[in-house]
Structure formats: C-alpha cells, structure tokens
Amino acid sequence: MRTFLALLFRNRLAALGAVVLCLVVVLTLITPFLPLQDPDVTATADRFKRPFTPGHLLGTDHLGRDLLSRLLWGTRLSLAVGFTAALLAATIGSAIGIAAGYFGGRTDNIIMRLVDMLMAFPYILLALAIVAALGPGLMNALIAVAAVNIPFFARNIRGVTVGLAGQEFVDAARLCGMGHTRIILTELLPNVLPVIIIAMSTTVGWMILETAGLSFLGLGSQPPQADLGSMLGEARSALITSPHTSIVPGLMIFVIVMSINLLGDGVRDALDPRLRSGALSRPLAATRIDRKGAVPPAGDDLLAIQDLETQFHVGRRVYRAVNRANLTVAPGECVGVIGESGSGKSVTALSVMGLVASPPGVITGGAVRFKGDDLIGMPYEKLRRKRGDRVAYIFQDPLSTLHPLYRAGDQLAEAIRSHHAISRKEARARAIDLFRAVRIPNAQSRIDNYPHEMSGGMRQRVGIAMALANEPDVIIADEPTTALDVTVQAQILSLLDDLRRERGMAIIFITHDFGVVGQLCDRIAVMYAGRIIEEGPTKDVLSAPAHPYTKRLIACVPELGQGRRELAAIPGLPPAVDRLPEGCAFAERCDRARDVCRSGEVVLSGTAPRAVRCLFPEEVVA
Ligand code: ADP
Ligand code: MG
C-alpha cells in the first residue's frame, strides 16, 4: 500500500487529480453543515442574478434559487449516483465475467452471448429504453447507467479470468480439493481485483457523465431536486442571456471528470506490477552510470573488468549485486566464472555492455575496458556498434532469446545486417555457413525453421551462431548449457571449444557447474557476493582450492564411479546483497573464520594468475 501511494504520487498529474477530487468530495460531504440557502426555494424576484451579488456568491437561476447551494447539493447527488452506479456495474459485471471465465464451455457461451446482446445496442439508447420502461427518476437513471456498463466489466474481467483459470495455481487449488466458490474467492479474485479497480477508476467519470446526460434530458433527477445534469438542462434556455447558469454546473462536471480520469490513469499505472520496479519508465538503452571514484587506468588486456560496481537502487534499498569485481580475458582464452546462484555472475556479465536494466540498475564504479577503451561511459552510439559485433552474448534459455514468430535464419541474418551493410542474399548465405559452423545438420533447410520447430540443443546452437555472426572478439556465455541435458551439454561444450580454437575468440564462460568449467576453461574465477574471491589456472584451483568457499563448492560436486562419498552441502545461504556484512562475506558460513575476518577489507593476495581473497586460506598461494 505504501509503495502504491508513493508510486501514485510520483505521477504529478495523478496527484493533482487526487487532490482536486478529494477537495470536491470533502465539500460535498460537509454541504449539509454549511450555512447555505435552501437549494429548492424559489424567489422569482431574484431571477438570473449575476455571480458575486451579495447573498448569492454564484448568482441565481431562472427561478431565483441560489446557484452555489444547488451546485453543492447537485454535485453531492451526482457523485453519489455516479459512484454507486460504478460500484453496481463493477460488482455485477465482474461476477458475471469471473463466472463465465472460470466455468468456461457452455456456461461461458450462454453468458457471453447474453452480454453481447446487451452490447449490440448503442448504450445511450439502451439507457433511454430502460428509463422509459422504469419511468423517469434518479434511482431509475442509476439502474440504467449501471446496467449499460455491466457488459463492459463482464467482457474485460472474463478475458482476464480465462487466462488465469488455465494456470497451474488454479489446478493446484483444485488438486487440493477446494470448491469452486473458494477457488474463485481466494485464488482468482485477488488476481482480478486490480483489473476491476482499474476498470472502475477509468469508468466512474464516464458514468457521472451518463447520469448527467439522462438528467439533462429530464429523465434523471426530477424538479426541484438538483443534480449537475438537471442544472445544465434547466439552464439550457438561458444559455445566451445568462451563461453563468450553465457555466457553473458545466465547470463542475469538467473538474470532476478530469480529476477522476487523471487519478484513474495514475491508479492504473501504479497498480501494474511490471511498472513497480521500473518506476513508471521504460528501461534506458544502456545501464545508468553514476561513478563516484576515479576510473582505473587502462591496461593491455583484450577485455578487462576493473573494480566494477553495479547496484540496484529500489526505493531506498541498495542491492550491491557486483562489488568491485575484477576479471580479465586474453585473446583465445576461456575464463570460467563460477559461483552459487545469486552471486552476481549475470549482473557482471550484463554490465560489460551496459545491458543491466535501468532503472533499477546503476553502475557506480570501476571500468570495463575493451582493447583499452572504457565501455562504461562510452557514448551510446559507439557502445551500440560494439554490442553483438565485438562482444557477443549467449544466454541460458534460447527459447526466450529467439523471437517465436521469425524463422531462425532470418533472425541470424538480422544479427549480421544490423552491423554490416550486406544484401539479404549474402546474409542468408552467411547464415547457412554459420549453421554449418555450429554443426546443425541440413543447414539449407533448417534455416527456414521457426524456433519452436527445433529442439533445445538445436536452439542453443542457433544462439551460438548468432553470437558468432559478426566474428566477435569476446563471447560472454551466461550458463549456456544449464537448460540442456548432459549429452547435448557435452556437444555444445565441445562445439564452443572447437570454435574458440578455430577462431581465436576469447570466452567468458559463466556457470555454477565445476564439471563444465574443468572441461572447457583455461582459468577460473570464483565469485561470491559480487566479488571474485579466488582465481587461478583451472587445474590448480580444482586440485588445490585455496578459499574455503571454493573447497566447499568442489566438495558438493558428485563424481561418477567414486564409490560412496559424503556430499557436503554448504550450510547457510549467501548474504542478502542489500545487507552485506563487513569483512569477508563468506565468514558467516565458514568454519575457518575468526574475528578478524568479520571486519575490515579482505584483499586479494597472491601473484597473477593465482590469487585468493582469504586471511586463512586452505592452501597458501605463492
Ligand atoms: P547469478 O550469479 O545467479 O547470475 P545475478 O547476477 O543474477 O546472480 O544476481 C546477483 C544479485 O543481484 C542477486 O542477489 C539478485 O538478488 C540481485 N538482483 C538481480 N537483479 C535485481 C533487481 N532487478 N533488483 C534487485 N536485485 C537484483
Ligand atoms: Mg545468472
């Protein structure tokens, strides 16, 4: 609720709408206690007094009645009727929509056809017909307005419910034996409620207008009772001679409807969970940069991540996902980055090309140097030209990285053509070559397949082909084999290994699997809580891990044919990155930790390429 209000009031226009609407509502609530004249008492001698005449702040109407008094009482009535109608329509319409969407089949068909019949009439005609049948009067106008809006709610809510009713959590509720009513009330309703509120907030204004319309035509409130519509209707004949009688209620309708609509838009935005973390804005094209300290000097590595700090700023919380990480990779080299889930591997990888979503991501320190150039802080256009061209990515789930509606070959061609001006035909030929390079059989025909027509391994090959498309210098592979089974995983690994040897590309290979690292990587960097805590040549790290964390991680890996060996899980959990402890982040879970580990900065000790960030390492690194 707090975040909802905060989000709502961040939107200036919505806040304005809320304030104005509140003022109007408060005014109408205190109307009975204000020293106003009776709104219905006529005084023919005082007809059509101008505004600001003594005793009549807003003047009088054609029967000499005080306009201010009529305005306030009329607004009170109009608001009450509008809100009641909206509530009525929302309740009945949503109930119908949920029932239709949840039960589906014939129930759905019958209900929705009835709703369609209602919708087939122009709504104002329908409202007129209902009022004609029931007789004029404010109550009947309310019923008419509510009735014509029921189909709108029913349609909207049914659509949402159909989508929800097929989801697993509803099946799960059925499996544990819940009845229909319970499922609807506890599983579906909380999910559709935001939609109902949004639909209501955007229709209340509309319903006030409709009620006013009916009253204007003399079918709503009956004289002498005032509501905004009837005031306008009565003022019609004096529109030219005494315009203030129309302007006063007209302005009020305008103010009410505008403020409700502005507020409604704000509510819609603030209730949308997707906009919450992004705070009502689209992600920037590149991660936001807010570097405080000095930028580390350039070295001569192909790609060097230097003291990189990437954080997520969500509200007042700061999540320090990457905490001064350092990593380099040389041409043709494969560096493995390994660590538990949540240790900051993906965020490090995405920071390289400024791909961390902003908001909430911010790069707050360090540098990423590609051939000496700092990629962080590089003008966007220059960075864009390097993305996918000089540094390319392979992601975990190829089904979510490939576009489902385009053929695999076309997507590959697009990857090439976005960096090189070549013809479609050439691009297609290149795509076929790339399919062959990643060992896809029948490349000629496979190129016209859609992603869903391919197996997981095949799709990942397409993903690799896309990364290779522009012959990048560096490929960053973020758990590319995690979604695949072991045989396909082995094929993909040997493919990556062949490709890097053939083409001399550097690979940063992110994984949580030591088996995979051992097979492919020359060097390993172990990551924990956003920092590199140990690095060294693969065989050194695997045979003599120095950091207690690395040792524990390796002990978790089962080995085939090694008899019965205790697999030691690491007790505890990685620290929450918004509350990182002082000193060594692993100290909490470490059996070698002493008091000194829990304060001060633990520096990386050792000589390149072997180093460890630990005061009491398992092995001394020279
Ligand atoms: P992994 O090593 O599994 O790839 P990530 O790099 O994805 O881990 O995440 C590192 C840390 O950053 C995690 O603790 C995660 O909770 C945090 N994080 C990632 N994205 C966000 C976000 N949008 N808002 C807040 N925290 C995030
Ligand atoms: Mg990850």
Side-chain angles (χ1 to χ4, degrees):
M1 193 64 201
R2 287 250 303 278
T3 50
F4 168 72
L5 286 180
L7 270 182
L8 184 61
F9 282 95
R10 194 174 304 174
N11 183 341
R12 296 257 167 73
L13 283 176
L16 179 73
V19 169
V20 172
L21 189 64
C22 272
L23 270 179
V24 173
V25 169
V26 167
L27 259 182
T28 59
L29 285 181
I30 59 168
T31 301
F33 310 108
L34 293 178
L36 292 170
Q37 298 168 23
D38 188 321
D40 300 336
V41 168
T42 53
T44 356
D46 291 339
R47 298 176 64 208
F48 293 127
K49 282 259 175 339
R50 300 276 150 195
F52 305 113
T53 35
H56 301 289
L57 188 60
L58 294 181
T60 60
D61 69 358
H62 64 296
L63 295 176
R65 297 174 293 194
D66 181 47
L67 265 182
L68 176 65
S69 169
R70 282 182 78 72
L71 178 75
L72 290 182
W73 282 99
T75 306
R76 188 176 152 93
L77 204 58
S78 287
L79 277 183
V81 171
F83 275 104
T84 315
L87 215 59
L88 215 62
T91 313
I92 301 177
S94 308
I96 293 175
I98 292 181
Y102 175 72
F103 292 106
R106 188 174 296 168
T107 322
D108 183 23
N109 237 325
I110 293 174
I111 295 181
M112 290 328 284
R113 290 308 77 76
L114 288 175
V115 167
D116 287 346
M117 275 162 63
L118 272 183
M119 274 189 132
F121 287 98
Y123 68 87
I124 197 75
L125 267 189
L126 188 62
L128 284 176
I130 295 174
V131 176
L134 298 177
L138 202 55
M139 203 56 191
N140 294 341
L142 187 157
I143 295 174
V145 169
V148 297
N149 281 290
I150 286 176
F152 167 77
F153 282 96
R155 271 241 156 266
N156 268 344
I157 302 303
R158 175 196 170 266
V160 181
T161 313
V162 166
L164 288 167
Q167 285 194 5
E168 286 78 2
F169 68 89
V170 175
D171 290 341
R174 265 193 215 117
L175 270 183
C176 64
M178 280 195 203
H180 292 314
T181 324
R182 207 88 188 260
I183 295 183
I184 287 179
L185 289 183
T186 62
E187 307 287 324
L188 289 178
L189 194 59
N191 281 296
V192 291
L193 207 54
V195 186
I196 298 178
I197 293 176
I198 289 166
M200 247 183 86
S201 67
T202 45
T203 45
V204 170
W206 190 232
M207 293 200 202
I208 290 176
L209 278 182
E210 284 171 8
T211 326
L214 286 178
S215 289
F216 179 82
L217 297 175
L219 299 170
S221 80
Q222 298 301 307
Q225 195 182 38
D227 85 340
L228 293 175
S230 63
M231 285 176 75
L232 264 185
E234 288 165 358
R236 188 173 30 170
S237 51
L239 186 61
I240 307 295
T241 51
S242 297
H244 70 278
T245 50
S246 315
I247 290 173
V248 166
L251 261 183
M252 185 52 110
I253 293 180
F254 172 77
V255 167
I256 293 176
V257 174
M258 269 313 267
S259 61
I260 289 181
N261 285 353
L262 288 179
L263 181 64
D265 280 352
V267 167
R268 187 192 51 214
D269 289 350
L271 275 180
D272 189 334
R274 284 165 303 181
L275 296 172
R276 287 229 174 131
S277 57
L280 301 180
S281 51
R282 286 200 314 158
L284 301 176
T287 311
R288 193 158 73 81
I289 294 157
D290 183 14
R291 282 192 288 195
K292 297 272 178 341
V295 177
D300 48 9
D301 298 290
L302 174 62
L303 183 78
I305 298 173
Q306 302 170 307
D307 287 332
L308 180 70
E309 261 183 45
T310 306
Q311 309 182 335
F312 294 98
H313 293 183
V314 183
R316 242 163 291 155
R317 291 226 169 143
V318 174
Y319 296 86
R320 285 181 287 162
V322 181
N323 226 333
R324 271 166 296 140
N326 285 284
L327 193 72
T328 60
V329 59
E333 189 187 30
C334 177
V335 178
V337 179
I338 194 159
E340 271 170 294
S341 179
S343 53
K345 309 181 297 292
S346 297
V347 177
T348 309
L350 293 174
S351 302
V352 170
M353 280 281 135
L355 293 172
V356 178
S358 275
V362 192
I363 294 179
T364 48
V368 176
R369 293 196 182 273
F370 177 76
K371 295 184 174 165
D373 292 338
D374 188 7
L375 295 177
I376 297 174
M378 180 175 274
Y380 173 67
E381 198 43 40
K382 227 173 137 192
L383 180 67
R384 189 188 68 77
R385 279 201 296 269
K386 287 197 162 45
R387 281 183 182 173
D389 188 41
R390 297 297 89 221
V391 178
Y393 285 85
I394 306 172
F395 292 106
Q396 176 173 341
D397 182 7
L399 195 55
S400 60
T401 42
L402 293 175
H403 194 302
L405 301 183
Y406 289 101
R407 297 173 200 280
D410 293 344
Q411 302 189 46
L412 199 49
E414 187 190 19
I416 305 170
R417 280 159 56 92
S418 58
H419 289 290
H420 301 277
I422 60 172
S423 71
R424 257 170 215 288
K425 224 170 125 202
E426 279 173 285
R428 191 179 159 84
R430 279 275 294 140
I432 294 176
D433 283 347
L434 283 163
F435 264 48
R436 292 212 178 93
V438 294
R439 326 271 192 271
I440 293 180
N442 306 329
Q444 282 285 10
S445 63
R446 278 299 196 171
I447 198 132
D448 290 323
N449 279 168
Y450 287 96
H452 65 265
E453 295 171 323
M454 303 176 146
S455 67
M458 209 58 88
R459 281 197 293 264
Q460 193 54 295
R461 283 171 201 263
V462 177
I464 296 174
M466 281 177 90
L468 289 177
N470 297 305
E471 312 215 319
D473 298 306
V474 182
I475 286 192
I476 300 179
D478 190 353
E479 313 215 22
T481 58
T482 307
L484 307 175
D485 61 66
V486 272
T487 40
V488 181
Q489 176 171 327
Q491 292 167 7
I492 296 284
L493 287 181
S494 74
L495 169 67
L496 275 175
D497 203 37
D498 292 350
L499 288 173
R500 104 174 140 106
R501 285 177 208 289
E502 281 165 22
R503 301 175 184 226
M505 294 173 315
I507 299 184
I508 296 181
F509 195 93
I510 295 172
T511 177
H512 54 250
D513 187 343
F514 266 105
V516 169
V517 166
Q519 206 173 333
L520 186 67
C521 301
D522 308 311
R523 211 147 52 78
I524 301 187
V526 184
M527 197 156 198
Y528 190 78
R531 314 192 79 170
I532 304 294
I533 55 156
E534 175 165 6
E535 61 181 320
T538 306
K539 62 176 191 323
D540 295 0
V541 176
L542 289 186
S543 61
H547 201 288
Y549 176 64
T550 319
K551 191 173 172 189
R552 290 293 195 70
L553 267 188
I554 294 174
C556 294
V557 182
E559 281 171 67
L560 281 181
Q562 291 293 307
R564 293 165 64 133
R565 178 169 72 88
E566 285 278 330
L567 286 185
I570 309 178
L573 290 171
V577 289
D578 55 334
R579 291 185 300 273
L580 280 181
E582 241 204 278
C584 173
F586 186 62
E588 276 309 302
R589 308 164 74 188
C590 182
D591 51 9
R592 299 171 75 87
R594 299 185 211 162
D595 284 344
V596 280
C597 296
R598 297 198 176 83
S599 61
E601 160 104 8
V602 183
V603 294
L604 205 60
S605 59
T607 45
R610 190 86 177 96
V612 62
R613 195 186 292 278
C614 181
L615 298 177
F616 309 103
E618 306 267 353
E619 304 275 337
V620 178
V621 297

